[in-house]
Amino acid sequence: MKTTAPVTIAFVAGVIMVISFFFNEETTFVGGLSQELLNWLIIIGGFTLLLGVVSITRVNWTAVTQKKEGWIYKVFTLLSILVMSLPSVLPSSWSPLLGREAGSIYDWLFTYMQAPMMATMFATLAFYIASAAYRAFRARSAEATLLLITAILVMLWRVPMGEAFLNLFPGDIPNLLNTYIMNGANLAVQRGIIIGAALGAASMSLRIILGIERTYMGKG
Amino acid sequence: MSGIEIFQMWLVAFLTLALFSFLYKDNPIYKLAEHIFAGLTTGYQVGLIWDTVVLQKLWDPMIYDDKWWLLIPGLLGILMFSRFTSRYSWLSRIPLAFVMGTTGGVFLTTQLHGLVLPAMKSTMIPLGGGGGFAEAILAVIVVVGVISTLIYFYFSKEHSGALGVTAKVGIWFIMVSFGAHFGYTVMGRVSLLIGRVQFLIEDWIGSFL
Amino acid sequence: MTIWEKLEQLDRRWIYLAVAIAVIIPFLVPAKFPISVSPEAQSFYDNVEALPDSSVVMLVFDYYPSTMAETEPMAIAGARHFFSKDCRIITLSNIPLGGPSMAEEVTRRIAAEYGKEYGIDYVNLGYKYGYVSVLKGMGLSIESIFPTDNSGTPLSELPMMDSVTNYEDVKFIFEVADNATADYWISIVNAGYGVPMGVGMTAVMAPKFYSFFGSNQIVGLLGGMKGAAEYEILINHEGSATRGMGAQSLVHLLIIALVLLGNIGFFASGKHRRRIGK
């Protein structure tokens, strides 16, 4: 039961979706059924996201109640979860501050706190990549040298000042870079990777549908 | 600028600088901002999923459109929470299997039809297609690059002989592509920093100059 | 300790400071360099220009707030371009973090510039979990996936949606993304329903999409902040991406200088011999 039921469900759902690819979604039974299953997928998926929220809340709550190291900061995490989520699930008909629309607490917290903080978190990566480029980006071998030269040329080409510099040399280097590096060698490699990855994803899908791949169930 | 607008501007500036302060040294202000950020990010999902999924896709259609059968995905969704118990955690495999099976079914066809076939089709281009010598050279680069990349990532056979030579060609192509990738990655990371500096200089400092 | 060894052990915070200075200077002392337009961005622009006026288009906000600096200028330029052609815009997002809020903010702001009205000229469908379901489901019926818009108004109450059932009524899709959802728009929607598509990607993602441009699965590609700046130049409306090009240039030059300095030290200190020797 613990294994057979999930494997059967994965098989039936998968086969319906594969068959429906070959049928009209609007006029056939299997097409309609596949649409209904996709709708179910949205609902179940929504619950999985909520599961993540509950899990994070539990972890932080445990840390606070057990006064683990840095618990005081986790109080702010819990408060932030509460302040962001509670007003958003209450109907906006009660107050314009509730719900998710413009002018709500939810929207305000997103615009003036969450979004700028997320943008800043990722902006710090610019410093780290500069430091890493200085310390680790070495021409240790012929292959590494090729990578380094291409990177420098592309870095120059993608900014106006660098492009102006490249244009000092004869032969329209920016155009050559776009044609033979980006739309030539790069395109070929990316296409090779896309073909390989897509074949891998398709075969993994087949393994899941046929019940050969079961690691998603976890242990036990 | 109104009082609330000034407050908003200073709040964003404070949070931005608080997070940047980590670059000098880890400190309590950074930690506080970081934890608030984690909380807000988690809380954001609650409002979004409650409204767009639980209410709009499950509750309203069940109550107002008599789609009673949506109880099934609703129950399957609730089964996900069995993961928090040790005795019944296996029940979460059922909705998980549904998600994996359905997604796998879509992927099996769309990955082949939407990615593999168009990529192969556009690689098989006639050399004498009327595009001239430069285009023929480009076509050769693409064909050699695609094949040698695929062979480089083919690990089921030892890379020796003809296979080894082709894999070697593949790695040269890969290095060029990864170099371009690195250049673009630098560009991306720098752009994100520019976005924050634009705010600090143009919006924040600009507001009181 | 030689100078090269000292340089190698330089406190990384000096590098951070150099980056900070390089990014700030161009905002204080602006220097203008011509911004060239790549064939990929030109193709994007030409394809939107070729759309019949009043066409229904999709503008997809598949990016997180983290990459706003690169992607938002593209979305803003796209909204301006579409509205200037009187196109009717459907916005949506597959991102559970910020997508619908950013779509709401950007479209309302740009719509006000062009005197466009919500529900008649543009609609924000918001977000639904699961891009596979959303992308495939809209092939049959947009309303089946999004029964209401982002604010909870039923689609049947929005006049613009009277003439829109599914992808057959959509003439162009502009996917602005910082993640792999763009792949699924291409493999599910473009391949399955044939809707022409242009993408605006973060720089990190852009190299991969040259492959899709080469196979004509997308008709245009905007890569990173430079791609956004190119689009701003094309629609003749300078924005934050164009203004950021000075800082982008200077930091690139700094990083190239750092790489060269690091390598000069590597060879001058003889470390390359020791490593190869090992």
Side-chain angles (χ1 to χ4, degrees), chain A residues 17 20-21 25-26 35 37-39 41-42 45-46 48-49 100-101 106-107 110 114-116 118-119 122 126-131 133-135 137-140 148 152 155-164 178 182-183 186-187 190-191 194, chain C residues 7-8 10-12 15-16 19-20 33-36 39-40 64-66 96-98 101 127 129 133 136-137 139-140 150-151 193 207-208 210-212 214-215 223 226-227 230 245-246 248-249 252-253 255-256 258-259 261-263 266-267 275:
Chain A
M17 296 316 294
S20 73
F21 180 78
E25 291 151 340
E26 222 164 333
Q35 288 295 313
L37 292 190
L38 289 173
N39 206 26
L41 191 61
I42 294 176
T48 59
L49 265 187
R100 295 188 306 118
E101 287 171 45
Y106 181 85
D107 185 63
F110 171 77
Q114 203 274 333
M118 195 168 187
F122 280 78
F127 296 99
Y128 302 142
I129 206 166
S131 175
Y134 173 65
R135 283 164 195 283
F137 208 22
R138 301 277 189 264
R140 290 178 206 282
L148 198 143
I152 290 177
M155 271 192 261
L156 283 171
W157 164 57
R158 288 308 282 168
V159 287
M161 253 184 240
E163 197 172 3
N178 193 39
M182 296 315 296
N183 285 298
N186 167 67
L187 179 148
Q190 297 299 331
R191 190 170 284 168
I194 288 169
Chain C
L7 271 176
E8 194 153 272
L10 185 73
D11 188 334
R12 64 179 187 279
I15 296 171
Y16 297 170
V19 172
F33 281 81
I35 295 172
S36 64
E40 294 78 22
Y64 289 87
S66 50
L97 196 61
S101 306
Y127 164 85
Y129 177 87
S133 298
K136 254 195 100 61
L140 176 63
N150 188 45
S151 311
Y193 304 93
K208 178 180 180 182
Y210 277 87
S211 169
F212 295 125
S215 54
K226 171 72 180 352
E230 290 172 5
M245 279 300 105
Q248 188 87 48
S249 298
H252 276 216
L253 296 183
I255 292 177
I256 291 168
L258 286 171
V259 170
L261 191 67
N263 276 281
F266 179 63
F267 284 98
R275 304 220 171 155

Side-chain angles (χ1 to χ4, degrees), chain A residues 53-116:
Chain A
V53 172
V54 174
S55 182
I56 292 172
T57 310
R58 268 166 52 111
V59 168
N60 282 283
W61 179 255
T62 313
V64 171
T65 51
Q66 295 178 359
K67 292 218 163 44
K68 286 185 180 167
E69 197 192 336
W71 67 274
I72 194 79
Y73 295 112
K74 297 193 191 312
V75 172
F76 285 95
T77 305
L78 288 170
L79 279 174
S80 306
I81 295 175
L82 199 70
V83 172
M84 189 76 162
S85 60
L86 194 63
S88 68
V89 296
L90 297 173
S92 55
S93 55
W94 292 3
S95 161
L97 294 176
L98 305 174
R100 295 188 306 118
E101 287 171 45
S104 64
I105 294 172
Y106 181 85
D107 185 63
W108 190 89
L109 287 172
F110 171 77
T111 310
Y112 297 106
M113 292 186 76
Q114 203 274 333

Side-chain angles (χ1 to χ4, degrees), chain A residues 2 36 39 106 108 143 220, chain B residues 8 44 57 69 93 168:
Chain A
K2 288 183 182 178
E36 190 59 40
N39 206 26
Y106 181 85
W108 190 89
E143 286 92 346
Chain B
Q8 286 164 179
Y44 186 91
K57 297 296 285 182
W69 61 87
R93 289 176 178 180
K168 187 82 186 158

Side-chain angles (χ1 to χ4, degrees), chain B residues 1 6 12 23 34 64 67 78-79 83 85 93 104 111 136 141 147 158 163-164:
Chain B
M1 210 183 242
I6 293 170
V12 176
L23 292 165
E34 184 195 24
Y64 304 117
K67 291 186 175 176
I78 288 167
L79 280 186
R83 294 183 82 86
T85 67
R93 289 176 178 180
Q111 293 279 309
I141 291 175
I147 293 172
E158 194 189 338
L163 201 66

Side-chain angles (χ1 to χ4, degrees), chain B residues 111-122:
Chain B
Q111 293 279 309
L112 297 175
H113 175 251
L115 295 178
V116 178
L117 293 181
M120 288 172 72
K121 189 179 156 201
S122 52

Side-chain angles (χ1 to χ4, degrees), chain B residues 2 24 54 61 70-72 79 81 83-84 126-127 172 189 191 201:
Chain B
S2 69
Y24 181 72
V54 180
L70 292 180
L71 262 178
I72 305 169
L79 280 186
F81 289 87
R83 294 183 82 86
F84 293 125
L127 287 181
W172 285 85
R189 299 310 181 215
S191 302
I201 294 180

